Amino acid sequence: MKLGKVEFCHFLQILALFLCLSGINQAELSRSRSKPYFQSGRTRTKRSWVWNQFFVLEEYMGTDPLYVGKLHSDVDKGDGSIKYILSGEGASSIFIIDENTGDIHATKRLDREEQAYYTLRAQALDRLTNKPVEPESEFVIKIQDINDNEPKFLDGPYTAGVPEMSPVGTSVVQVTATDADDPTYGNSARVVYSILQGQPYFSVEPKTGVIKTALPNMDREAKDQYLLVIQAKDMVGQNGGLSGTTSVTVTLTDVNDNPPRFPRRSYQYNVPESLPVASVVARIKAADADVGANAEMEYKIVDGDGLGVFKISVDKDTQEGIITIQKELDFEAKTSYTLRIEAANMHVDPRFLSLGPFSDMTTVKIIVEDVDEPPVFTSRLYSMVVSEAAKVGTIIGTVAAHDPDASNSPVRYSIDRNTDLERYFNIDASSGVITTAKSLDRETNAVHNITVLAMESQNPAQVGRGYVAITILDINDNAPEFAMEYETTVCENAQPGQVIQKISAIDKDDPPNGHQFYFSLTAEAANNHNFTLQDNKDNTATILTRRNGFRRQEQSVFYLPIFIVDSGSPSLSSTNTLTIRVCDCDADGVAQTCNAEAYILPAGLSTGALIAILACVLTLLVLVLLIVTMRRRKKEPLIFDEERDIRENIVRYDDEGGGEEDTEAFDMAALRNLNVIRDTKTRRDVTPEIQFLSRPTFKSIPDNVIFREFIWERLKEADVDPCAPPYDSLQTYAFEGNGSVAESLSSLDSISSNSDQNYDYLSDWGPRFKRLADMYGTGPDCLYS
């Protein structure tokens, strides 16, 4: 008859209780056979108190305290004179003892996994004297295990990997479950493993928990991941045992079991012929189901007519084969190329060589497309020479270009004027002949680098460029001249034959054999008695003196004309004048003073003395000017001069103002100064008849009357003023405006003159003098009578 889980637990409890009772009986029996115990005051044999360990079943679920065991002493007669005391782990809190009977009970549910045993001490005391009747003894209460814990996978869930195509039985990973029950008692902690999910691909060892492959040739490309469920069961897997589960994720890792294969047997690409070198023509890729290093491959061109024109490389990121151009394409030369390309794995696994070669071949055809190209010159650089003496229109050379396209369009030539700004050259648009357009000068520019443009007649946008270097050949067209501006001096005490200067010459020309100059004095200077010239035959000459006793006061400067001839064909010559100054020299022949003016100065006066004398003279002149100026100022009268005062201080304005407010610009004090004695003046061109001998003094007269009288006198003085010009002078003393108290100040009334001069002849002078004739004339038509 099979027992259920509950019945089996009850059976174990009964068995444990039976064993406990047997242990108690054995304890009592041993105590009864022990030696007698001698208490104080008595002489008796000491008895040994021997205790066996007690057993108590864990996880007791009853309502009453669980009986553990009984303590008893032979001294106890059952009359209550003996008292039992319990101490140690859990005493009073977990375990209690009946002090009269010695019965021990557990008051709480015990868990062996928390604490497997308890160590306690027991003592028997005389109740009256409270003295021990038995020695204190130590005993152990052991918690008896039951199967109350299921196995647990503490490290789960698990992940593992195994190479694809692995053989059967390949170890993948080991799982481990732990059971908290007592492994030394029964089968509560004995675990076995089984696989609940993952068949038929994997299996597990029941005792060790090692997971292994169960099927051969598992392909990652078909399925790369599996989920397994592993069970661990205690009680050796028997019914009634507890179990736990965990998951294991197994990933198939890649191996190189797939060779590369091109999706197509042939490819075709169109490429324009104008594509630059190193440009990408195409990208091809061989398919490989593997990943990572197993999918890495290399490409190479193994055959075809484009081996030197194209090359292939691999893109490390995409594993594509990149075809690029190595040389320029020319549709007119070749219209297509064929390439045989191989793709192969870089890392081959020998185990799978039986599957076939791990490489593949394909064909790539490249079609070159025609592009309208610019004209091409027969030479990248043309070198030409021309003499600088060439006349305008001289042919220098010819350039040639052609249209590389099949149409072979005619070409027209021109010069890029940015490279020939002075327009020295021309080119024939049809033939490409280059000629001179201006006179050339090698000394200005020895080499001309110009750019020639070649344009298609049918498509002017297509322009080719050619480069021409024109070298100008030298001719002897520059006369020699002094190499520098010489500062030549001769000492007054120079001796005959003394070298005073060494000269050389330069020439802007560049003869092939170098320069050769010849020096001599001109014909008119060849027989001079002062200096001579010696040609050193090394493109230099020496100037020497022919006499002594040069004197600055007689002649301070000499001009020596020198004739220089070059060795060109034909030779050129020039006359250069050497200026020689006579100087006063020291004993070593070093020039000290070269100015001839020094001889004019008196002897014994230094330059500082002369400067002091000049400063004194200037000081005296300044003092004289100051004295004259001050005397002139003292002679001026202290009274106001009417003409200067009035005419210089009154400012004339051509606008009309608002009355007295506009008199701010006038010196009204001059008009108010009426007590000034004025000298009578006569006109220079008339004989005055009326003399103003005296004037009344104006004191308490109103201002408007004072001004009117004053202005009236002024007008009369102007008429008889001998210093006034012989025409009317408009003198403005004030202005006309609103509120002015001066009334009219016009000087047009100056015709009231007492002069007997006849001005009738002014009428005969024309319309320009009509106004003067009307003012000074005596005719009946006078406007101002």
Side-chain angles (χ1 to χ4, degrees), residues 376-411:
V376 178
F377 283 89
T378 56
S379 176
R380 300 184 66 87
L381 177 63
Y382 294 88
S383 297
M384 302 178 184
V385 293
V386 62
S387 173
E388 64 177 328
K391 297 181 180 180
V392 175
T394 301
I395 296 176
I396 302 174
T398 304
V399 296
H402 68 280
D403 184 6
D405 299 319
S407 60
N408 195 17
S409 175
V411 175

Side-chain angles (χ1 to χ4, degrees), residues 257-468:
D257 59 339
N258 293 278
R261 293 291 180 264
F262 282 106
R264 297 166 55 182
R265 292 294 91 191
S266 64
Y267 297 86
Q268 179 174 316
Y269 299 95
N270 294 342
V271 178
E273 64 174 332
S274 61
L275 201 64
V277 174
S279 299
V280 176
V281 175
R283 286 176 174 262
I284 60 175
K285 183 178 182 181
D288 192 333
D290 297 322
V291 294
N294 297 318
E296 292 180 359
M297 62 187 77
E298 57 183 356
Y299 298 86
K300 60 181 177 179
I301 302 174
V302 296
D303 195 8
D305 55 2
L307 287 174
V309 182
F310 303 93
K311 71 173 183 178
I312 188 168
S313 59
V314 64
D315 187 330
K316 298 298 183 181
D317 296 328
T318 63
Q319 297 301 316
E320 292 178 308
I322 304 173
I323 303 175
T324 56
I325 301 175
Q326 283 186 297
K327 295 182 179 179
E328 292 183 353
L329 302 178
D330 188 358
F331 173 82
E332 288 72 28
K334 192 172 180 58
T335 59
S336 65
Y337 296 89
T338 301
L339 306 174
R340 290 280 295 168
I341 297 177
E342 179 188 56
N345 279 141
M346 297 181 64
H347 310 285
V348 179
D349 193 335
R351 296 178 299 168
F352 305 103
L353 289 177
S354 59
L355 299 178
F358 279 76
S359 62
D360 197 16
M361 302 280 291
T362 189
T363 301
V364 177
K365 187 174 184 180
I366 298 175
I367 306 298
V368 180
E369 297 178 343
D370 187 24
V371 175
D372 190 6
E373 299 175 276
V376 178
F377 283 89
T378 56
S379 176
R380 300 184 66 87
L381 177 63
Y382 294 88
S383 297
M384 302 178 184
V385 293
V386 62
S387 173
E388 64 177 328
K391 297 181 180 180
V392 175
T394 301
I395 296 176
I396 302 174
T398 304
V399 296
H402 68 280
D403 184 6
D405 299 319
S407 60
N408 195 17
S409 175
V411 175
R412 295 184 62 82
Y413 303 94
S414 63
I415 295 177
D416 185 357
R417 291 305 177 184
N418 290 325
T419 61
D420 185 25
L421 297 175
E422 300 295 331
R423 295 180 176 270
Y424 284 110
F425 308 98
N426 288 330
I427 188 170
D428 187 89
S430 302
S431 63
V433 174
I434 299 176
T435 58
T436 58
K438 284 184 178 182
S439 297
L440 303 176
D441 186 9
R442 187 202 65 84
E443 288 70 36
T444 302
N445 194 352
V447 178
H448 294 266
N449 293 304
I450 64 174
T451 301
V452 177
L453 308 178
M455 294 175 288
E456 292 184 11
S457 300
Q458 297 178 358
N459 186 8
Q462 294 296 336
V463 180
R465 295 178 179 272
Y467 303 97
V468 181

Side-chain angles (χ1 to χ4, degrees), residues 113-366:
E113 286 72 38
E114 292 182 2
Q115 188 164 346
Y117 61 90
Y118 295 86
T119 301
L120 295 97
R121 293 180 298 279
Q123 200 170 32
L125 302 176
D126 188 298
R127 188 179 295 278
L128 296 176
T129 62
N130 205 26
K131 292 183 178 180
V133 297
E134 295 284 357
E136 186 180 51
S137 182
E138 186 177 80
F139 66 96
V140 175
I141 299 177
K142 189 172 183 180
I143 310 302
Q144 193 170 10
D145 183 49
I146 64 172
N147 189 18
D148 60 342
N149 291 278
E150 72 278 2
K152 294 181 180 180
F153 293 92
L154 301 180
D155 297 330
Y158 296 85
T159 58
V162 63
E164 62 174 333
M165 311 300 289
S166 295
V168 175
T170 301
S171 178
V172 179
V173 68
Q174 183 179 16
V175 296
T176 303
T178 58
D179 195 322
D181 293 324
D182 189 358
T184 63
Y185 179 77
N187 295 325
S188 299
R190 296 181 62 184
V191 178
V192 294
Y193 300 93
S194 61
I195 183 168
L196 301 182
Q197 179 180 325
Q199 300 96 342
Y201 305 102
F202 299 93
S203 63
V204 63
E205 288 285 342
K207 293 183 179 180
T208 61
V210 176
I211 300 174
K212 299 181 179 181
T213 58
L215 284 181
N217 301 327
M218 285 190 293
D219 191 2
R220 184 197 67 83
E221 288 73 32
K223 185 177 181 180
D224 62 347
Q225 199 171 76
Y226 298 86
L227 180 62
L228 283 63
V229 177
I230 305 299
Q231 182 188 63
K233 191 173 183 180
D234 58 13
M235 297 299 292
V236 200
Q238 297 178 0
N239 291 334
L242 304 179
S243 64
T245 60
T246 188
S247 64
V248 180
T249 302
V250 179
T251 302
L252 297 183
T253 59
D254 185 58
V255 297
N256 192 8
D257 59 339
N258 293 278
R261 293 291 180 264
F262 282 106
R264 297 166 55 182
R265 292 294 91 191
S266 64
Y267 297 86
Q268 179 174 316
Y269 299 95
N270 294 342
V271 178
E273 64 174 332
S274 61
L275 201 64
V277 174
S279 299
V280 176
V281 175
R283 286 176 174 262
I284 60 175
K285 183 178 182 181
D288 192 333
D290 297 322
V291 294
N294 297 318
E296 292 180 359
M297 62 187 77
E298 57 183 356
Y299 298 86
K300 60 181 177 179
I301 302 174
V302 296
D303 195 8
D305 55 2
L307 287 174
V309 182
F310 303 93
K311 71 173 183 178
I312 188 168
S313 59
V314 64
D315 187 330
K316 298 298 183 181
D317 296 328
T318 63
Q319 297 301 316
E320 292 178 308
I322 304 173
I323 303 175
T324 56
I325 301 175
Q326 283 186 297
K327 295 182 179 179
E328 292 183 353
L329 302 178
D330 188 358
F331 173 82
E332 288 72 28
K334 192 172 180 58
T335 59
S336 65
Y337 296 89
T338 301
L339 306 174
R340 290 280 295 168
I341 297 177
E342 179 188 56
N345 279 141
M346 297 181 64
H347 310 285
V348 179
D349 193 335
R351 296 178 299 168
F352 305 103
L353 289 177
S354 59
L355 299 178
F358 279 76
S359 62
D360 197 16
M361 302 280 291
T362 189
T363 301
V364 177
K365 187 174 184 180
I366 298 175

Side-chain angles (χ1 to χ4, degrees), residues 574-591:
S574 66
T575 300
N576 298 263
T577 302
L578 181 66
T579 302
I580 305 174
R581 298 183 179 275
V582 181
C583 298
D584 180 25
C585 301
D586 57 13
D588 297 328
V590 179

Side-chain angles (χ1 to χ4, degrees), residues 15-41:
L15 180 61
L17 183 61
F18 174 75
L19 293 173
C20 290
L21 293 176
S22 299
I24 293 172
N25 294 331
Q26 292 293 331
E28 290 178 350
L29 179 62
S30 62
R31 284 196 300 271
S32 63
R33 293 177 180 177
S34 60
K35 294 180 180 181
Y37 174 68
F38 295 96
Q39 294 180 347
S40 59

